[in-house]
Amino acid sequence: MNGRMSSNRLPPIRALTPDMDGWGFFLCTQKDVRQSRSGELFMTLFLQDKSGVVRARIANDVARLREEFDAGDFVKVAGRTELFNGRIQLTIDRIRRVNPDQDRSQGFREEDCVLSAARPAAEMWQELEELIQHVRDPFIRQLLQQIMTAQAEKVRVWPAALTVHHAYRGGFLEHILSVARSALTLGAAYGADQDLLTAGALLHDIGKLQELDYDRATSYTRDGNLVGHVTLGTIMVRAATSAIPEFPDVLRSQIEHLIVSHHGHKEFGAPVEPMTIEAMILSAADDLDAKINQVRQALAEEGEGEFTAYHARLGRVLWKG
Amino acid sequence: MNGRMSSNRLPPIRALTPDMDGWGFFLCTQKDVRQSRSGELFMTLFLQDKSGVVRARIANDVARLREEFDAGDFVKVAGRTELFNGRIQLTIDRIRRVNPDQDRSQGFREEDCVLSAARPAAEMWQELEELIQHVRDPFIRQLLQQIMTAQAEKVRVWPAALTVHHAYRGGFLEHILSVARSALTLGAAYGADQDLLTAGALLHDIGKLQELDYDRATSYTRDGNLVGHVTLGTIMVRAATSAIPEFPDVLRSQIEHLIVSHHGHKEFGAPVEPMTIEAMILSAADDLDAKINQVRQALAEEGEGEFTAYHARLGRVLWKG
Amino acid sequence: MNGRMSSNRLPPIRALTPDMDGWGFFLCTQKDVRQSRSGELFMTLFLQDKSGVVRARIANDVARLREEFDAGDFVKVAGRTELFNGRIQLTIDRIRRVNPDQDRSQGFREEDCVLSAARPAAEMWQELEELIQHVRDPFIRQLLQQIMTAQAEKVRVWPAALTVHHAYRGGFLEHILSVARSALTLGAAYGADQDLLTAGALLHDIGKLQELDYDRATSYTRDGNLVGHVTLGTIMVRAATSAIPEFPDVLRSQIEHLIVSHHGHKEFGAPVEPMTIEAMILSAADDLDAKINQVRQALAEEGEGEFTAYHARLGRVLWKG
Amino acid sequence: MNGRMSSNRLPPIRALTPDMDGWGFFLCTQKDVRQSRSGELFMTLFLQDKSGVVRARIANDVARLREEFDAGDFVKVAGRTELFNGRIQLTIDRIRRVNPDQDRSQGFREEDCVLSAARPAAEMWQELEELIQHVRDPFIRQLLQQIMTAQAEKVRVWPAALTVHHAYRGGFLEHILSVARSALTLGAAYGADQDLLTAGALLHDIGKLQELDYDRATSYTRDGNLVGHVTLGTIMVRAATSAIPEFPDVLRSQIEHLIVSHHGHKEFGAPVEPMTIEAMILSAADDLDAKINQVRQALAEEGEGEFTAYHARLGRVLWKG
Amino acid sequence: MNGRMSSNRLPPIRALTPDMDGWGFFLCTQKDVRQSRSGELFMTLFLQDKSGVVRARIANDVARLREEFDAGDFVKVAGRTELFNGRIQLTIDRIRRVNPDQDRSQGFREEDCVLSAARPAAEMWQELEELIQHVRDPFIRQLLQQIMTAQAEKVRVWPAALTVHHAYRGGFLEHILSVARSALTLGAAYGADQDLLTAGALLHDIGKLQELDYDRATSYTRDGNLVGHVTLGTIMVRAATSAIPEFPDVLRSQIEHLIVSHHGHKEFGAPVEPMTIEAMILSAADDLDAKINQVRQALAEEGEGEFTAYHARLGRVLWKG
Amino acid sequence: MNGRMSSNRLPPIRALTPDMDGWGFFLCTQKDVRQSRSGELFMTLFLQDKSGVVRARIANDVARLREEFDAGDFVKVAGRTELFNGRIQLTIDRIRRVNPDQDRSQGFREEDCVLSAARPAAEMWQELEELIQHVRDPFIRQLLQQIMTAQAEKVRVWPAALTVHHAYRGGFLEHILSVARSALTLGAAYGADQDLLTAGALLHDIGKLQELDYDRATSYTRDGNLVGHVTLGTIMVRAATSAIPEFPDVLRSQIEHLIVSHHGHKEFGAPVEPMTIEAMILSAADDLDAKINQVRQALAEEGEGEFTAYHARLGRVLWKG
């Protein structure tokens, strides 16, 4: 394949336009081999890099190429872009699994091929540490330090959800920081307990580290489905507070309340609804951050026109301004 | 007061009829001193014994009698019954706090004055132990033994709820045994895992031992309001399984699923909905037992007519047959 | 076609695996001739036998083969199995209408080609008769005997629904027996009237004999759509009780109540909600049986993974254990 | 009592104003003897005549007067009116049961003392007969004639509901005529089948003749609660069509559909929702007539101000114009 | 193309049957060029004339024909009809943009090619003027005259909605006249204010003239999405009443109330719910007219069988009689 | 009355404790004369001053005192406080209408007797002006200046609602400033348009200036009920933008969108749901501010215990910390 590759390297996915020709490194997250109604085989793929996701198809030589790679592999791909039903699509001529040692010389880097938060992980991690430093209550500070240290590896890379919002590498960290910023400014305006709000913002979704399995692709774990991140997170926090000597019981109750109530309403899966000003602020900040992230994704994916197509989850069209 | 008491002892509350005259020992669970619109003081009480609850009122000598006892006290009462808006009411002439040592000679026994499940606690406890003996899986059996032993004191006396259903001494135990019987017969019909069903039936409400505070009267605890029994119960079970060496992880997930999903629907406070046949059976058995207990209470309290008054919680009238 | 058939007979549908080659007798329940986007004709069929349903397609010689048979016909088919989007599919080479006289010698039997309840009809019928024998109230026993005798032909073969649950030959009988078993054990636990529960379990869906039309395939009748099985069933029972001299009016009311209220809630189509313990038990048993049947179907159809795909009607994924 | 009665006769209830003094004949529909918080007995009554309902109270001589009459009796009353919390109230000095023979000479007539529709029953009955005469389809005409003849006694006097709308003598007939007028003009506009609409309008609530018990006061019957008027009505119509030789089956289905679907939505108790233009028109006309009757009642009962008080059933205030 | 056209002219779309061959003039409202799964190009069109809409496809010579016309063009088409999945489809051999001057000689008329209300615009306009003439209140009459005169151009041609009901040329006028007829007959029956009802019927959807953009095809405007026709209409009416000297304020309030409340319930987008009998009548008439128009469309599009397919928006099947 | 007044002046309402004796100036906002069940007259009042609201009752000399003042009057009152069902109540001995000229010497000031926002109006008004100064877009700044100048008199004193939240003098201004602060900090975090958010925060409830009538007491206006503040506000803004030359149309649409969508969901009375990030932020900030204000009121009114009583509007108890 080497010799026959076009000499043009494709730009990042977010920068693709129709009628480009070239090659690139991607992560293949989905691979379906299907039969057309008239019997021919063809493959539909989803490829991603740091900047976005693109649909791709292979119509020729499918029987051979299907053996060349699997979903979850990094791949080297050559093809051309075209507009298909209003979105960019890549028609693939050649594809093979990446050979890391060899392809590194051509610029392959794993981290460039995984859809990621816009901000670097190190920068976000530092913001997280600063938030924890600002906590005045020593018990809350210790709690946050211990949980975040223990979970650091996951916290740095986890997505915040399977599909709905912040569904990319670093999305979890991006989301909790954003919720923390909002909750703290709202909390300042309403004279709420800032230490509790920091704890709530950083811990409300901590159960997602057990709910989701993430290794380039994301899936639900058994506990994620059967127990759910709201309860899993409360259990994690209970274990952590139990390990801190003399952790005040009333503080533990309040933090657990922030977690169990953060979905705001029973019908959204909160077994208990917010009973404190801090819980109301946290729930509002979380909901708003999730909605705005969905709006941004919808705006980023859309083509022409002043409004997006109907957004099924939000139940409305969105204005593109 | 001694010398002036009527010589008739009143029958148990459930057996009271209009125009009875006499004295008795009761637990006073509620005591309100109010002012009539025209300014006079009067007291409204709720008295209970093992068999039921009766409303009582004091219209004379209120200023002095209000000092004689508090809600939560056992009291000796003299008065007469009458029909008031279709229900029995006790009009009290004399009332004082029980003096246990002295009144025992007249037949006072604490356990006779507390509204209780119909079956004796010892008999129910034995049924519980037998249910646990029948569990074949050694991990589940050990889990149930350890939790029930640790909580035995509460399990024997706790009510199942503040007001809705099984709201009396021993109601918790009565309810979980009833759910277990139903779930196991349904489970047999559908070939479900009987050990899991036993665990689910006995543990689904275990968080109520922390949600409610019960010492003759019942109230919500701080954790009961802020965290809720669904999550509290899951945390208790997680702690218990963690303490059993090599407790299988998949078993732990399933039992936790039974607890978090037992309310059946998100809008009823289940953060996760039943995903297994066992969870569906448990949720159906729990719902049915709570409903039937409410129906029985409504039928027991009702006066004449073929139908009860409108039952606000169930949203309908009930047929008395 | 005879001479060219492969000599292998395919196993029952539930036992099909990929890459099998052979022939078999089936009932064709659906036949669509479509044009591919590029203009070629192809046929999509649904074939069933006693054990299950399989999708089939014909891509060659469509113009001729489409004349060979219709939906509703028993067919003899030759082809091979393959995996298509995770499910078994049959690609058909040859197909023709069954010639009963001639094909019987090769083992064709109508009853083997119709999707059916797992238990034999005769065995289920006998269980039904025993249930009726156990009824102590002579009026209820007579009512059940008369209705079941009059409807025997339908009761033995009818499905319980068009698609949702027990949607196969004998599904009606399988469902009412299962509901009866559950309702009677629950009724025993709660001291409910077992005769009434038997009547409710056996008659609650009796209107489906008029709501559905079943002759291998199932469809709604005019009355089924316009009047609905809840009301149709009540009318049938009213007619039957009217024909029994001195049938007690209070009994008639109770039985009609069991039928009109068996969907449990107004929003599920119950014009009246359960007002008796028997009606609550029946409604719970019916709902649970329908749900568990759906779960079993979903588990039977599913491929790999610990959880099923999202089940739209139940609104969740299911755990496969 | 005779000699002491004031010589003024009170005007009809709708014409009462504060500070009137006099006597009158009424129907007592409700009689509650209660104890004030300070222990005195007093009676609260509801009295009605043809034109309206008025609250009354007796504070003196209660122990004796309570024996003089019961709810359901016609009574002769002397007292004075006053404004109580914005509404007219009658304070009663003397009250006794009517002695029909003797009181007739003073102008007592039963029909003047029962809350009734504004239009005379005879006039409404004639409109009903004309509506039936206009039906062209002989089967529908015969059906309506037979049912209305058989039920004539009830149809002339029944109320349309216990409390919600048209809850007075003749309200049933008033309501079905009003629905018929609306449905027929709407049906003319949309080219719907006028005969079917007449049948639907006249029969949609026919089950209320069995749902309610009416003998001056209104109550639910056993069948009314347990089976409900929607199903009861359908059963009545089925019985009637079965008795008419060669009644077309498709016509029967359509009429039954009009009855079972007339509540419009499942959550309002329609087991089946409207599937024909006629059923949609009938359901809209019925809903509108019930709402407008409630609005008129609310406006009639209200005191000052441009808007009524919050109307709990309609969930809003109403403008008085 | 001229010389090669078949000499048969196709009948109006509503009269098309399978296997017709010929040519016709149509408006092309939608044009999609797609790639089959196997890579070939094909075009799917929607064509309309005055009487209906038909799907069409082009499989040959796509690369050239796609340049011949655009969505929004009038086209001359030659092809043949066939049945495709139960509906008529046109397979196109030749297609080109209409040349108005030249094609007029062959009978091309714009107005024949646009899906339109059944009644001629002039006739509907005259009915509108008569309705306005009948208004007795001079302020309301003046208001209606001024608004309708100012908006005459749009009122004559606008559709009533994008897709749901009356979605064709003249649909707006057809809808408001139909609502007016219904509201006025209902209003007569209930003694409501006929002038107000006329105003409400003619103005309730007036905001749609700003909500929708219509030039053969229909789309939402920016204000239509961001502000919505309910509020836009109220603003238009406020502007108009402000321009009429001494327009009574109470009248203005009532008319605005009719507009803001015409969706009947908050969850259907009414910021305020009907508080007057007129508003209740208008809302009922509007809802019924929209539903019946949907039923008629569904019946017109349907093939065989006694019931339509499931109608997703209405949530039920419909009976075809 | 002068000479007999106790010499003690009562502290502000928020500082009242049981068993205080003295006199004070208040605004009487509600006055009910009722009859006790036993026939005596008594009066129930609500009195307010700047700091709070207290219930009062008069049991003696009612017939004379009822003529001394009306609801809406400032009154001079003498009496003593007591605890009544857990809340402070004032039992009044003497009461008369304030004579402003004469009572000013004793310290009567109108503004001290009206329940008011905690912050002085002048300070809030200055913050409002600063917010407007910070708007960079000249059209938005001009719009806000013109509307606020024109409405200044109302803006300074209006409450934000009749009962739910900020229901006191200055509550409107307090609420919009609080929403503005929250929306602007959230907007900064999400890069939203700060000028639009300022406009949305300051104008979203502007229709309440027409919806409510406020002159010490608050009530709904005719337009408030019939049209509602959402639509009234949009009309006001449309009038204002129309009067500003060359006000950009797209800006007008966006601001109107902020107003019509600020209730967030259709079922809460938003005819259109938020379609921009600014509208989502505004709606979240508004909802949170209203909720927190309700929580604070509930906490301020509550007596003992760790949790408040059940809060019907919020549907839960609240933690008092």
Side-chain angles (χ1 to χ4, degrees), chain A residues 278-294:
Chain A
E278 287 79 14
M280 287 174 179
I281 289 174
L282 176 64
S283 165
D286 180 37
D287 181 59
L288 185 64
D289 193 59
K291 272 201 195 123
I292 289 181
N293 189 267
Q294 290 177 69

Short mmCIF file of all heavy atoms in Angstrom, two decimals, chain A residues 278-294:
data_model
loop_
_atom_site.label_atom_id
_atom_site.label_comp_id
_atom_site.label_asym_id
_atom_site.label_seq_id
_atom_site.Cartn_x
_atom_site.Cartn_y
_atom_site.Cartn_z
N GLU A 278 -27.72 24.50 47.65
CA GLU A 278 -26.56 23.97 46.92
C GLU A 278 -26.99 22.90 45.92
O GLU A 278 -26.50 22.86 44.78
CB GLU A 278 -25.53 23.39 47.90
CG GLU A 278 -24.75 24.42 48.70
CD GLU A 278 -25.56 24.98 49.87
OE1 GLU A 278 -26.61 24.38 50.22
OE2 GLU A 278 -25.16 26.02 50.45
N ALA A 279 -27.90 22.02 46.31
CA ALA A 279 -28.34 20.97 45.40
C ALA A 279 -29.11 21.54 44.23
O ALA A 279 -29.01 21.04 43.10
CB ALA A 279 -29.19 19.94 46.16
N MET A 280 -29.87 22.61 44.47
CA MET A 280 -30.60 23.24 43.36
C MET A 280 -29.63 23.90 42.38
O MET A 280 -29.80 23.81 41.17
CB MET A 280 -31.58 24.27 43.91
CG MET A 280 -32.77 23.61 44.59
SD MET A 280 -33.85 24.81 45.39
CE MET A 280 -35.11 23.68 46.03
N ILE A 281 -28.62 24.55 42.91
CA ILE A 281 -27.63 25.19 42.03
C ILE A 281 -26.87 24.14 41.22
O ILE A 281 -26.69 24.26 40.01
CB ILE A 281 -26.65 26.05 42.86
CG1 ILE A 281 -27.36 27.29 43.40
CG2 ILE A 281 -25.42 26.42 42.06
CD1 ILE A 281 -26.53 28.13 44.36
N LEU A 282 -26.45 23.07 41.89
CA LEU A 282 -25.68 22.04 41.19
C LEU A 282 -26.51 21.43 40.06
O LEU A 282 -26.03 21.24 38.93
CB LEU A 282 -25.25 20.94 42.18
CG LEU A 282 -24.53 19.77 41.53
CD1 LEU A 282 -23.21 20.21 40.91
CD2 LEU A 282 -24.27 18.66 42.56
N SER A 283 -27.74 21.12 40.38
CA SER A 283 -28.59 20.48 39.39
C SER A 283 -28.84 21.40 38.19
O SER A 283 -28.83 20.96 37.03
CB SER A 283 -29.90 20.09 40.08
OG SER A 283 -30.89 19.78 39.17
N ALA A 284 -29.04 22.69 38.46
CA ALA A 284 -29.23 23.64 37.36
C ALA A 284 -27.97 23.77 36.52
O ALA A 284 -28.01 23.78 35.28
CB ALA A 284 -29.65 25.01 37.91
N ALA A 285 -26.81 23.83 37.17
CA ALA A 285 -25.54 23.99 36.44
C ALA A 285 -25.25 22.76 35.59
O ALA A 285 -24.77 22.86 34.46
CB ALA A 285 -24.40 24.25 37.42
N ASP A 286 -25.54 21.59 36.13
CA ASP A 286 -25.30 20.34 35.40
C ASP A 286 -26.19 20.25 34.17
O ASP A 286 -25.74 19.95 33.07
CB ASP A 286 -25.56 19.17 36.35
CG ASP A 286 -25.34 17.83 35.67
OD1 ASP A 286 -24.42 17.72 34.86
OD2 ASP A 286 -26.10 16.89 35.98
N ASP A 287 -27.47 20.55 34.36
CA ASP A 287 -28.42 20.47 33.26
C ASP A 287 -28.05 21.46 32.15
O ASP A 287 -28.08 21.13 30.97
CB ASP A 287 -29.83 20.78 33.80
CG ASP A 287 -30.88 20.69 32.73
OD1 ASP A 287 -31.02 19.62 32.13
OD2 ASP A 287 -31.57 21.70 32.48
N LEU A 288 -27.71 22.67 32.56
CA LEU A 288 -27.37 23.69 31.57
C LEU A 288 -26.11 23.31 30.79
O LEU A 288 -26.06 23.45 29.57
CB LEU A 288 -27.18 25.04 32.28
CG LEU A 288 -26.95 26.24 31.38
CD1 LEU A 288 -28.17 26.51 30.50
CD2 LEU A 288 -26.63 27.49 32.20
N ASP A 289 -25.10 22.78 31.49
CA ASP A 289 -23.87 22.42 30.81
C ASP A 289 -24.10 21.30 29.80
O ASP A 289 -23.57 21.32 28.69
CB ASP A 289 -22.80 22.01 31.82
CG ASP A 289 -21.42 21.93 31.18
OD1 ASP A 289 -20.97 22.97 30.65
OD2 ASP A 289 -20.82 20.85 31.17
N ALA A 290 -24.91 20.33 30.17
CA ALA A 290 -25.20 19.24 29.25
C ALA A 290 -25.96 19.76 28.03
O ALA A 290 -25.67 19.38 26.89
CB ALA A 290 -26.01 18.16 29.96
N LYS A 291 -26.93 20.64 28.26
CA LYS A 291 -27.71 21.17 27.13
C LYS A 291 -26.83 21.99 26.20
O LYS A 291 -26.91 21.84 24.97
CB LYS A 291 -28.84 22.06 27.66
CG LYS A 291 -30.10 21.32 27.98
CD LYS A 291 -31.29 22.28 28.00
CE LYS A 291 -32.49 21.64 28.66
NZ LYS A 291 -32.98 22.43 29.80
N ILE A 292 -26.01 22.86 26.76
CA ILE A 292 -25.19 23.72 25.90
C ILE A 292 -24.19 22.89 25.11
O ILE A 292 -23.94 23.14 23.93
CB ILE A 292 -24.50 24.82 26.74
CG1 ILE A 292 -25.56 25.82 27.20
CG2 ILE A 292 -23.40 25.51 25.94
CD1 ILE A 292 -25.02 26.98 28.02
N ASN A 293 -23.64 21.83 25.71
CA ASN A 293 -22.74 20.97 24.96
C ASN A 293 -23.46 20.31 23.79
O ASN A 293 -22.92 20.19 22.69
CB ASN A 293 -22.13 19.92 25.89
CG ASN A 293 -21.01 19.14 25.22
OD1 ASN A 293 -21.25 18.08 24.65
ND2 ASN A 293 -19.80 19.68 25.23
N GLN A 294 -24.71 19.91 23.99
CA GLN A 294 -25.49 19.33 22.89
C GLN A 294 -25.75 20.36 21.78
O GLN A 294 -25.70 20.03 20.60
CB GLN A 294 -26.82 18.80 23.40
CG GLN A 294 -26.69 17.57 24.26
CD GLN A 294 -28.03 17.13 24.81
OE1 GLN A 294 -28.88 16.66 24.07
NE2 GLN A 294 -28.22 17.28 26.10
#
